[in-house]
Amino acid sequence: MKEYRINTKCVQAGYTPKNGEPRQMPIIQSTTFKYDTSEDMGKLFDLEASGYFYTRLQNPTNDMVAAKICSLEGGKAAMLTSSGQAANFFSVFNIANNGDHVIASSAIYGGTYNLFAVTMKKMGIDFTFVSPDSTKEELDAAFRPNTKAVFGETIANPALTVLDIELFARTAHEHGVPFIIDNTFATPVNCRPIEWGADIVTHSTTKYIDGHGATVGGCIVDAGNFDWMKYADKFPGLCTPDDSYHGITYATKFGKEGAFITKCTAQLMRDFGSIQSPQHAFYLNLGLESLHVRMKRHCENAQKIAEYLSHNDKISWVRYCGLPGDKYHELAKKYLPNGSCGVISFGIKGGRPAAEKFMKSLRLAAIETHVADARTCCLHPANATHRQMNDEELLAAGITPDLVRYSCGLEDAQDLIDDIQQALDQI
Ligand SMILES: *Cc1c(COP(=O)(O)O)cnc(C)c1O
C-alpha cells in the first residue's frame, strides 16, 4: 500500500473496506471466535497461524485501530491496552524482570512515576530517575550491568519539558538497550520519535487521540529496529524459549519486527488482561480521524494564549515551548516543528491565594484532572493532585504554589483569552 502523508493516514489507515463491506470500521463486539476443527484452533494457540480466538488476546477492531496508530508512528507492530498506565507498564515489564534496572527521565507523568518508583519497585525492578536535561555523560553514568531500558516522555506531563530524543536513544543503544518513549502529549501528528531513534512508543490514548474525554485507553508501538538477539543475554524473555508457549523463542520466530508485540500480547495480555473494549477502540478511531485537524487548533490556541499571558503583568512566568524565550524552544524547533501540544503552564503573581481566586473566577475553562480535551480545562496542582504537599515539598517536586496547568481546547482563542482576562481582573 502507498505510504500516504500523516493527515491522510489519520483518516484512512488501519481499515480499508473491500467491495460491499461497511464504510465505517466495524465493531466486532464478540469475546470469542468460531472454528471448524480443533486442529485449526490448536494452530492459533501454538502461534503457528494468525487469527482470533479470544478478545482478551486479540480482537479485529482493536487490531485495526492499533494498525492505524502503528502507521502514524511509522512502527512495525502495535497493540491497544486498557489505559496509558497499562501501556507503560507492559512496555517496561515486557523486557525487565525482578533484579533488573531501568533508567527513566524524572520529568514524567505522576502516574507513571508512581508505577515505576513504587509498584514496579515492589516487583523487584529498580529505577534510576535522571534529569530530562541530562548530558551524555550524566546518562552514561546511570547505566548498570542489569539496565534493560531507558524511558522518557516527548513532552512531559505536566512539566512541559521537551526531551532530546536523539541523545536518549543513541545513549540507550550504545549500552545495548532500547529507548521507550511516551508520546502522549505530542501525538504522532507533531512528533514521530521512531524517526529520531526511539524503539518503543507508548500512548495514553485517553488524551489527544481520543480527544473528547470519552474513553480511557493506551497503545504500544514497536519500531521493529531493536536487535534483541544481538543482546540475547540481556533479554532472555525474548531470546530463550517460552515454556508457557510451547517453547517458542519470540526473537527467532517473529524477528526484530514482531517479537516485542507478540510476546507482550501472548504473555502479558494473556496474564494481566488489560484489554481495551472493541467499542472503545471504535471511539478512538473516530478521534484519530480528526487528530491532525484538532492538534493544529489545540496548538494555535495554546500559542495565542501563551503569548497573551507572557505580556500580562499579573502573570509571573509562562511555560510553553512555542514561546521563543522558553527553555525548550530550541529542542521544540527540532523535534516539534509543526507545533507541540495544547497544554501550557503559568504562575500568577500573588502565589497560592491569587491562583485560587483565579481558578474560582474562570467561567469557560473548567477545573478538571484531565488534559488534552476538546473543551478547555485547567488545574491548580497545589490544590488538587499535589494537595498533600506543603509549599516546600511542592518546590522540590518542581511545582510552585502559583502554578496553573491550562489545557487549551478547541474553542475560539479570543473567548478563552477574555475568560482568563476577566478572572485575572478579579484578583
Ligand atoms: C495520562 C497519561 C498517562 C496515563 O494514561 P491513562 O490513560 O490515564 O492510564 C501516561 N502518560 C502520560 C504522558 C499521560 O498524560
Side-chain angles (χ1 to χ4, degrees):
M1 197 194 181
K2 183 175 160 11
E3 262 301 290
Y4 289 110
R5 291 171 179 79
I6 194 97
N7 295 347
T8 305
K9 285 181 177 182
C10 281
V11 184
Q12 296 276 357
Y15 171 61
T16 310
K18 297 191 205 65
N19 197 30
E21 287 185 348
R23 184 65 196 94
Q24 180 54 282
M25 181 183 287
I27 307 170
I28 307 298
Q29 194 69 35
S30 181
T31 57
T32 192
F33 300 82
K34 177 240 167 196
Y35 287 91
D36 289 337
T37 69
S38 302
E39 288 75 39
D40 288 345
M41 178 157 277
K43 286 193 186 123
L44 299 178
F45 270 94
D46 289 351
L47 302 180
E48 283 301 328
S50 67
Y52 298 96
F53 52 98
Y54 194 55
T55 285
R56 169 148 46 79
L57 280 100
Q58 277 189 298
N59 171 281
T61 309
N62 290 16
D63 280 359
M64 288 185 265
V65 178
K68 177 177 278 191
I69 299 173
C70 189
S71 163
L72 289 171
E73 287 287 4
K76 287 291 177 350
M79 66 195 281
L80 298 188
T81 58
S82 54
S83 66
Q85 287 298 105
N88 283 330
F89 172 55
F90 280 11
S91 72
V92 175
F93 197 60
N94 204 33
I95 46 176
N97 295 313
N98 186 346
D100 287 340
H101 171 254
V102 173
I103 297 167
S105 162
S106 59
I108 52 175
Y109 176 65
T112 312
Y113 180 83
N114 226 50
L115 168 70
F116 290 172
V118 181
T119 301
M120 292 184 77
K121 174 127 180 110
K122 282 187 202 156
M123 301 168 85
I125 301 167
D126 211 5
F127 286 81
T128 297
F129 294 95
V130 297
S131 162
D133 309 329
S134 293
T135 61
K136 176 82 173 55
E137 292 66 36
E138 285 164 340
L139 282 177
D140 281 336
F143 281 85
R144 300 181 194 164
N146 60 342
T147 302
K148 298 300 167 77
V150 178
F151 183 98
E153 283 179 19
T154 311
I155 306 170
N157 175 12
L160 303 180
T161 52
V162 177
L163 202 71
D164 190 342
I165 304 173
E166 265 189 326
L167 173 68
F168 272 66
R170 177 163 42 89
T171 310
H173 296 161
E174 281 175 19
H175 291 267
V177 304
F179 177 49
I180 306 172
I181 188 160
D182 181 332
N183 196 34
T184 297
F185 265 28
T187 83
V189 169
N190 283 340
C191 181
R192 289 170 297 283
I194 289 172
E195 292 173 1
W196 300 103
D199 300 287
I200 309 290
V201 180
T202 62
H203 282 281
S204 165
T205 59
T206 319
K207 311 293 163 52
Y208 288 114
I209 290 184
D210 167 37
H212 298 79
T215 51
V216 174
C219 184
I220 308 172
V221 181
D222 179 11
N225 292 331
F226 195 83
D227 191 352
W228 307 106
M229 270 304 184
K230 189 169 166 195
Y231 306 100
D233 53 327
K234 276 193 205 288
F235 304 104
L238 285 158
C239 304
T240 58
D242 176 3
D243 293 335
S244 76
Y245 248 112
H246 314 287
I248 281 173
T249 300
Y250 296 100
T252 46
K253 188 158 176 72
F254 301 101
K256 281 197 300 193
E257 301 190 350
F260 188 90
I261 293 293
T262 306
K263 174 179 180 288
C264 203
T265 303
Q267 267 184 1
L268 300 188
M269 202 53 106
R270 178 195 64 189
D271 295 352
F272 289 96
S274 315
I275 56 153
Q276 180 150 152
S277 99
Q279 183 82 39
H280 285 181
F282 175 83
Y283 293 143
L284 272 196
N285 188 53
L286 290 183
L288 282 159
E289 287 182 4
S290 64
L291 182 65
H292 54 303
V293 183
R294 290 184 291 108
M295 282 315 286
K296 192 162 181 283
R297 182 58 172 269
H298 280 296
C299 294
E300 281 167 10
N301 280 357
Q303 186 69 31
K304 283 183 192 157
I305 292 168
E307 279 167 15
Y308 156 80
L309 289 168
S310 64
H311 295 114
N312 191 300
D313 60 11
K314 292 203 170 164
I315 301 297
S316 43
W317 55 270
V318 184
R319 159 134 294 161
Y320 187 63
C321 64
L323 290 177
D326 190 79
K327 183 176 172 193
Y328 296 96
H329 189 62
E330 290 306 312
L331 282 173
K333 277 206 279 195
K334 174 173 175 181
Y335 293 111
L336 303 153
N338 301 319
S340 55
C341 68
V343 183
I344 60 184
S345 62
F346 53 90
I348 298 188
K349 284 186 191 160
R352 191 192 282 257
E356 281 168 6
K357 179 78 184 142
F358 171 77
M359 295 290 289
K360 228 181 266 169
S361 308
L362 287 168
R363 296 195 186 123
L364 192 51
I367 299 175
E368 291 171 26
T369 1
H370 187 46
V371 286
D373 189 75
R375 289 141 298 203
T376 295
C377 52
C378 60
L379 187 77
H380 180 213
N383 257 326
T385 43
H386 297 68
R387 194 177 172 77
Q388 71 286 3
M389 296 184 179
N390 62 33
D391 286 4
E392 231 166 60
E393 289 168 328
L394 280 175
L395 283 179
I399 289 163
T400 49
D402 62 345
L403 184 150
V404 172
R405 182 181 73 182
Y406 192 91
S407 169
C408 303
L410 302 175
E411 300 92 340
D412 192 295
Q414 194 55 51
D415 284 333
L416 295 170
I417 290 173
D418 291 348
D419 183 41
I420 293 172
Q421 181 65 58
Q422 65 80 25
L424 288 174
D425 287 345
Q426 296 185 46
I427 298 171

PDB file of all heavy atoms in Angstrom, residues 82-86 88 108-109 111-112 153 155-157 182 184-185 203-207 216-218 371, ligand 1:
ATOM      1  N   SER A  82      -5.802  -1.178  27.884  1.00  0.00           N
ATOM      2  CA  SER A  82      -6.969  -0.576  28.530  1.00  0.00           C
ATOM      3  C   SER A  82      -6.736   0.859  28.973  1.00  0.00           C
ATOM      4  O   SER A  82      -7.680   1.599  29.197  1.00  0.00           O
ATOM      5  CB  SER A  82      -7.353  -1.418  29.746  1.00  0.00           C
ATOM      6  OG  SER A  82      -6.225  -1.560  30.592  1.00  0.00           O
ATOM      7  N   SER A  83      -5.475   1.255  29.138  1.00  0.00           N
ATOM      8  CA  SER A  83      -5.168   2.609  29.601  1.00  0.00           C
ATOM      9  C   SER A  83      -3.714   2.932  29.260  1.00  0.00           C
ATOM     10  O   SER A  83      -2.938   2.028  28.900  1.00  0.00           O
ATOM     11  CB  SER A  83      -5.353   2.700  31.128  1.00  0.00           C
ATOM     12  OG  SER A  83      -4.400   1.881  31.768  1.00  0.00           O
ATOM     13  N   GLY A  84      -3.357   4.181  29.451  1.00  0.00           N
ATOM     14  CA  GLY A  84      -1.962   4.565  29.273  1.00  0.00           C
ATOM     15  C   GLY A  84      -1.086   3.918  30.332  1.00  0.00           C
ATOM     16  O   GLY A  84       0.061   3.546  30.063  1.00  0.00           O
ATOM     17  N   GLN A  85      -1.629   3.780  31.521  1.00  0.00           N
ATOM     18  CA  GLN A  85      -0.875   3.125  32.596  1.00  0.00           C
ATOM     19  C   GLN A  85      -0.497   1.704  32.194  1.00  0.00           C
ATOM     20  O   GLN A  85       0.646   1.268  32.400  1.00  0.00           O
ATOM     21  CB  GLN A  85      -1.704   3.081  33.888  1.00  0.00           C
ATOM     22  CG  GLN A  85      -1.836   4.412  34.591  1.00  0.00           C
ATOM     23  CD  GLN A  85      -0.503   4.971  35.031  1.00  0.00           C
ATOM     24  OE1 GLN A  85       0.023   5.897  34.428  1.00  0.00           O
ATOM     25  NE2 GLN A  85       0.072   4.420  36.072  1.00  0.00           N
ATOM     26  N   ALA A  86      -1.465   0.971  31.630  1.00  0.00           N
ATOM     27  CA  ALA A  86      -1.196  -0.410  31.205  1.00  0.00           C
ATOM     28  C   ALA A  86      -0.150  -0.419  30.098  1.00  0.00           C
ATOM     29  O   ALA A  86       0.740  -1.281  30.071  1.00  0.00           O
ATOM     30  CB  ALA A  86      -2.482  -1.085  30.735  1.00  0.00           C
ATOM     31  N   ASN A  88       2.319   1.735  29.557  1.00  0.00           N
ATOM     32  CA  ASN A  88       3.664   1.977  30.085  1.00  0.00           C
ATOM     33  C   ASN A  88       4.154   0.816  30.939  1.00  0.00           C
ATOM     34  O   ASN A  88       5.333   0.447  30.886  1.00  0.00           O
ATOM     35  CB  ASN A  88       3.690   3.296  30.869  1.00  0.00           C
ATOM     36  CG  ASN A  88       3.732   4.488  29.926  1.00  0.00           C
ATOM     37  OD1 ASN A  88       4.270   4.387  28.822  1.00  0.00           O
ATOM     38  ND2 ASN A  88       3.147   5.593  30.332  1.00  0.00           N
ATOM     39  N   ILE A 108       8.229  12.945  34.112  1.00  0.00           N
ATOM     40  CA  ILE A 108       7.225  12.066  33.505  1.00  0.00           C
ATOM     41  C   ILE A 108       5.913  12.249  34.254  1.00  0.00           C
ATOM     42  O   ILE A 108       5.881  12.845  35.336  1.00  0.00           O
ATOM     43  CB  ILE A 108       7.654  10.564  33.519  1.00  0.00           C
ATOM     44  CG1 ILE A 108       8.072  10.113  34.919  1.00  0.00           C
ATOM     45  CG2 ILE A 108       8.729  10.298  32.488  1.00  0.00           C
ATOM     46  CD1 ILE A 108       8.384   8.619  35.028  1.00  0.00           C
ATOM     47  N   TYR A 109       4.869  11.713  33.680  1.00  0.00           N
ATOM     48  CA  TYR A 109       3.537  11.767  34.274  1.00  0.00           C
ATOM     49  C   TYR A 109       3.569  11.172  35.692  1.00  0.00           C
ATOM     50  O   TYR A 109       4.235  10.153  35.927  1.00  0.00           O
ATOM     51  CB  TYR A 109       2.612  10.962  33.360  1.00  0.00           C
ATOM     52  CG  TYR A 109       1.206  10.804  33.839  1.00  0.00           C
ATOM     53  CD1 TYR A 109       0.358  11.897  33.968  1.00  0.00           C
ATOM     54  CD2 TYR A 109       0.698   9.545  34.141  1.00  0.00           C
ATOM     55  CE1 TYR A 109      -0.948  11.741  34.391  1.00  0.00           C
ATOM     56  CE2 TYR A 109      -0.604   9.382  34.564  1.00  0.00           C
ATOM     57  CZ  TYR A 109      -1.423  10.484  34.695  1.00  0.00           C
ATOM     58  OH  TYR A 109      -2.710  10.324  35.112  1.00  0.00           O
ATOM     59  N   GLY A 111       1.473   9.480  37.410  1.00  0.00           N
ATOM     60  CA  GLY A 111       1.009   8.085  37.484  1.00  0.00           C
ATOM     61  C   GLY A 111       2.098   7.115  37.061  1.00  0.00           C
ATOM     62  O   GLY A 111       2.256   6.028  37.632  1.00  0.00           O
ATOM     63  N   THR A 112       2.876   7.504  36.058  1.00  0.00           N
ATOM     64  CA  THR A 112       3.966   6.648  35.591  1.00  0.00           C
ATOM     65  C   THR A 112       5.078   6.620  36.629  1.00  0.00           C
ATOM     66  O   THR A 112       5.661   5.562  36.906  1.00  0.00           O
ATOM     67  CB  THR A 112       4.522   7.174  34.245  1.00  0.00           C
ATOM     68  OG1 THR A 112       3.428   7.425  33.367  1.00  0.00           O
ATOM     69  CG2 THR A 112       5.459   6.181  33.618  1.00  0.00           C
ATOM     70  N   GLU A 153       9.511  10.933  28.223  1.00  0.00           N
ATOM     71  CA  GLU A 153       8.314  11.468  27.559  1.00  0.00           C
ATOM     72  C   GLU A 153       8.727  12.553  26.574  1.00  0.00           C
ATOM     73  O   GLU A 153       9.557  13.406  26.920  1.00  0.00           O
ATOM     74  CB  GLU A 153       7.334  12.066  28.587  1.00  0.00           C
ATOM     75  CG  GLU A 153       6.546  11.019  29.349  1.00  0.00           C
ATOM     76  CD  GLU A 153       5.581  11.604  30.392  1.00  0.00           C
ATOM     77  OE1 GLU A 153       5.238  12.793  30.322  1.00  0.00           O
ATOM     78  OE2 GLU A 153       5.179  10.830  31.280  1.00  0.00           O
ATOM     79  N   ILE A 155       7.051  15.260  25.361  1.00  0.00           N
ATOM     80  CA  ILE A 155       6.760  16.492  26.107  1.00  0.00           C
ATOM     81  C   ILE A 155       6.194  15.993  27.428  1.00  0.00           C
ATOM     82  O   ILE A 155       5.198  15.270  27.439  1.00  0.00           O
ATOM     83  CB  ILE A 155       5.689  17.355  25.419  1.00  0.00           C
ATOM     84  CG1 ILE A 155       6.067  17.645  23.957  1.00  0.00           C
ATOM     85  CG2 ILE A 155       5.447  18.645  26.201  1.00  0.00           C
ATOM     86  CD1 ILE A 155       4.926  18.297  23.167  1.00  0.00           C
ATOM     87  N   ALA A 156       6.851  16.339  28.531  1.00  0.00           N
ATOM     88  CA  ALA A 156       6.448  15.747  29.813  1.00  0.00           C
ATOM     89  C   ALA A 156       5.174  16.386  30.352  1.00  0.00           C
ATOM     90  O   ALA A 156       4.974  17.594  30.253  1.00  0.00           O
ATOM     91  CB  ALA A 156       7.581  15.891  30.821  1.00  0.00           C
ATOM     92  N   ASN A 157       4.333  15.542  30.924  1.00  0.00           N
ATOM     93  CA  ASN A 157       3.113  15.969  31.607  1.00  0.00           C
ATOM     94  C   ASN A 157       3.363  15.887  33.107  1.00  0.00           C
ATOM     95  O   ASN A 157       3.604  14.801  33.611  1.00  0.00           O
ATOM     96  CB  ASN A 157       1.955  15.029  31.217  1.00  0.00           C
ATOM     97  CG  ASN A 157       0.675  15.340  31.987  1.00  0.00           C
ATOM     98  OD1 ASN A 157       0.570  16.365  32.644  1.00  0.00           O
ATOM     99  ND2 ASN A 157      -0.279  14.428  31.910  1.00  0.00           N
ATOM    100  N   ASP A 182       7.095   7.791  25.827  1.00  0.00           N
ATOM    101  CA  ASP A 182       5.660   8.071  25.922  1.00  0.00           C
ATOM    102  C   ASP A 182       5.403   9.343  25.108  1.00  0.00           C
ATOM    103  O   ASP A 182       5.861  10.423  25.464  1.00  0.00           O
ATOM    104  CB  ASP A 182       5.310   8.262  27.408  1.00  0.00           C
ATOM    105  CG  ASP A 182       3.837   8.546  27.645  1.00  0.00           C
ATOM    106  OD1 ASP A 182       3.177   9.107  26.747  1.00  0.00           O
ATOM    107  OD2 ASP A 182       3.352   8.237  28.756  1.00  0.00           O
ATOM    108  N   THR A 184       2.452  10.743  24.349  1.00  0.00           N
ATOM    109  CA  THR A 184       1.061  11.163  24.538  1.00  0.00           C
ATOM    110  C   THR A 184       0.817  12.622  24.175  1.00  0.00           C
ATOM    111  O   THR A 184      -0.132  12.932  23.451  1.00  0.00           O
ATOM    112  CB  THR A 184       0.663  10.927  26.012  1.00  0.00           C
ATOM    113  OG1 THR A 184       0.738   9.524  26.277  1.00  0.00           O
ATOM    114  CG2 THR A 184      -0.751  11.415  26.297  1.00  0.00           C
ATOM    115  N   PHE A 185       1.624  13.532  24.707  1.00  0.00           N
ATOM    116  CA  PHE A 185       1.320  14.956  24.539  1.00  0.00           C
ATOM    117  C   PHE A 185       1.569  15.455  23.113  1.00  0.00           C
ATOM    118  O   PHE A 185       0.846  16.310  22.625  1.00  0.00           O
ATOM    119  CB  PHE A 185       2.124  15.807  25.546  1.00  0.00           C
ATOM    120  CG  PHE A 185       1.352  16.113  26.800  1.00  0.00           C
ATOM    121  CD1 PHE A 185       0.363  15.262  27.267  1.00  0.00           C
ATOM    122  CD2 PHE A 185       1.598  17.281  27.527  1.00  0.00           C
ATOM    123  CE1 PHE A 185      -0.369  15.547  28.420  1.00  0.00           C
ATOM    124  CE2 PHE A 185       0.875  17.583  28.680  1.00  0.00           C
ATOM    125  CZ  PHE A 185      -0.110  16.717  29.130  1.00  0.00           C
ATOM    126  N   HIS A 203       1.428   5.363  24.323  1.00  0.00           N
ATOM    127  CA  HIS A 203       0.450   6.450  24.371  1.00  0.00           C
ATOM    128  C   HIS A 203      -0.575   6.212  25.455  1.00  0.00           C
ATOM    129  O   HIS A 203      -1.003   5.068  25.659  1.00  0.00           O
ATOM    130  CB  HIS A 203      -0.333   6.540  23.050  1.00  0.00           C
ATOM    131  CG  HIS A 203       0.426   7.201  21.958  1.00  0.00           C
ATOM    132  ND1 HIS A 203       0.545   8.557  21.874  1.00  0.00           N
ATOM    133  CD2 HIS A 203       1.120   6.683  20.917  1.00  0.00           C
ATOM    134  CE1 HIS A 203       1.276   8.855  20.823  1.00  0.00           C
ATOM    135  NE2 HIS A 203       1.651   7.737  20.222  1.00  0.00           N
ATOM    136  N   SER A 204      -0.983   7.300  26.100  1.00  0.00           N
ATOM    137  CA  SER A 204      -2.277   7.313  26.752  1.00  0.00           C
ATOM    138  C   SER A 204      -3.207   7.878  25.695  1.00  0.00           C
ATOM    139  O   SER A 204      -3.186   9.080  25.426  1.00  0.00           O
ATOM    140  CB  SER A 204      -2.263   8.214  27.989  1.00  0.00           C
ATOM    141  OG  SER A 204      -3.611   8.461  28.381  1.00  0.00           O
ATOM    142  N   THR A 205      -4.007   7.008  25.084  1.00  0.00           N
ATOM    143  CA  THR A 205      -4.916   7.477  24.028  1.00  0.00           C
ATOM    144  C   THR A 205      -6.089   8.249  24.626  1.00  0.00           C
ATOM    145  O   THR A 205      -6.868   8.858  23.896  1.00  0.00           O
ATOM    146  CB  THR A 205      -5.456   6.295  23.189  1.00  0.00           C
ATOM    147  OG1 THR A 205      -6.155   5.395  24.057  1.00  0.00           O
ATOM    148  CG2 THR A 205      -4.341   5.548  22.500  1.00  0.00           C
ATOM    149  N   THR A 206      -6.173   8.193  25.961  1.00  0.00           N
ATOM    150  CA  THR A 206      -7.183   8.969  26.705  1.00  0.00           C
ATOM    151  C   THR A 206      -7.083  10.458  26.390  1.00  0.00           C
ATOM    152  O   THR A 206      -8.051  11.186  26.538  1.00  0.00           O
ATOM    153  CB  THR A 206      -6.925   8.781  28.217  1.00  0.00           C
ATOM    154  OG1 THR A 206      -6.596   7.419  28.473  1.00  0.00           O
ATOM    155  CG2 THR A 206      -8.124   9.174  29.039  1.00  0.00           C
ATOM    156  N   LYS A 207      -5.910  10.904  26.017  1.00  0.00           N
ATOM    157  CA  LYS A 207      -5.666  12.325  25.831  1.00  0.00           C
ATOM    158  C   LYS A 207      -6.030  12.717  24.393  1.00  0.00           C
ATOM    159  O   LYS A 207      -7.149  12.530  24.000  1.00  0.00           O
ATOM    160  CB  LYS A 207      -4.209  12.649  26.190  1.00  0.00           C
ATOM    161  CG  LYS A 207      -3.787  12.056  27.553  1.00  0.00           C
ATOM    162  CD  LYS A 207      -4.489  12.677  28.738  1.00  0.00           C
ATOM    163  CE  LYS A 207      -4.405  11.863  30.021  1.00  0.00           C
ATOM    164  NZ  LYS A 207      -3.069  11.456  30.416  1.00  0.00           N
ATOM    165  N   VAL A 216     -10.938   5.935  28.227  1.00  0.00           N
ATOM    166  CA  VAL A 216      -9.584   5.690  28.729  1.00  0.00           C
ATOM    167  C   VAL A 216      -8.967   4.573  27.881  1.00  0.00           C
ATOM    168  O   VAL A 216      -9.618   3.564  27.622  1.00  0.00           O
ATOM    169  CB  VAL A 216      -9.636   5.280  30.220  1.00  0.00           C
ATOM    170  CG1 VAL A 216      -8.256   4.882  30.725  1.00  0.00           C
ATOM    171  CG2 VAL A 216     -10.207   6.406  31.064  1.00  0.00           C
ATOM    172  N   GLY A 217      -7.736   4.771  27.445  1.00  0.00           N
ATOM    173  CA  GLY A 217      -7.091   3.732  26.633  1.00  0.00           C
ATOM    174  C   GLY A 217      -5.614   3.988  26.469  1.00  0.00           C
ATOM    175  O   GLY A 217      -5.101   5.055  26.841  1.00  0.00           O
ATOM    176  N   GLY A 218      -4.908   2.988  25.922  1.00  0.00           N
ATOM    177  CA  GLY A 218      -3.474   3.125  25.690  1.00  0.00           C
ATOM    178  C   GLY A 218      -3.052   2.361  24.456  1.00  0.00           C
ATOM    179  O   GLY A 218      -3.839   1.604  23.872  1.00  0.00           O
ATOM    180  N   VAL A 371      -6.409  16.568  30.771  1.00  0.00           N
ATOM    181  CA  VAL A 371      -5.823  17.473  29.789  1.00  0.00           C
ATOM    182  C   VAL A 371      -6.180  16.946  28.412  1.00  0.00           C
ATOM    183  O   VAL A 371      -6.718  15.844  28.286  1.00  0.00           O
ATOM    184  CB  VAL A 371      -4.276  17.516  29.883  1.00  0.00           C
ATOM    185  CG1 VAL A 371      -3.808  18.291  31.084  1.00  0.00           C
ATOM    186  CG2 VAL A 371      -3.694  16.122  29.868  1.00  0.00           C
TER     187      VAL A 371
HETATM  188  C1  LIG B   1      -2.499  10.431  31.303  1.00  0.00           C
HETATM  189  C2  LIG B   1      -1.151   9.970  30.987  1.00  0.00           C
HETATM  190  C3  LIG B   1      -0.765   8.639  31.225  1.00  0.00           C
HETATM  191  C4  LIG B   1      -1.682   7.630  31.872  1.00  0.00           C
HETATM  192  O1  LIG B   1      -2.702   7.314  30.973  1.00  0.00           O
HETATM  193  P1  LIG B   1      -4.150   6.768  31.424  1.00  0.00           P
HETATM  194  O2  LIG B   1      -4.806   6.568  30.109  1.00  0.00           O
HETATM  195  O3  LIG B   1      -4.780   7.822  32.283  1.00  0.00           O
HETATM  196  O4  LIG B   1      -3.922   5.497  32.161  1.00  0.00           O
HETATM  197  C5  LIG B   1       0.516   8.254  30.857  1.00  0.00           C
HETATM  198  N1  LIG B   1       1.377   9.128  30.308  1.00  0.00           N
HETATM  199  C6  LIG B   1       1.032  10.417  30.063  1.00  0.00           C
HETATM  200  C7  LIG B   1       2.037  11.331  29.456  1.00  0.00           C
HETATM  201  C8  LIG B   1      -0.224  10.882  30.408  1.00  0.00           C
HETATM  202  O5  LIG B   1      -0.542  12.160  30.177  1.00  0.00           O
END
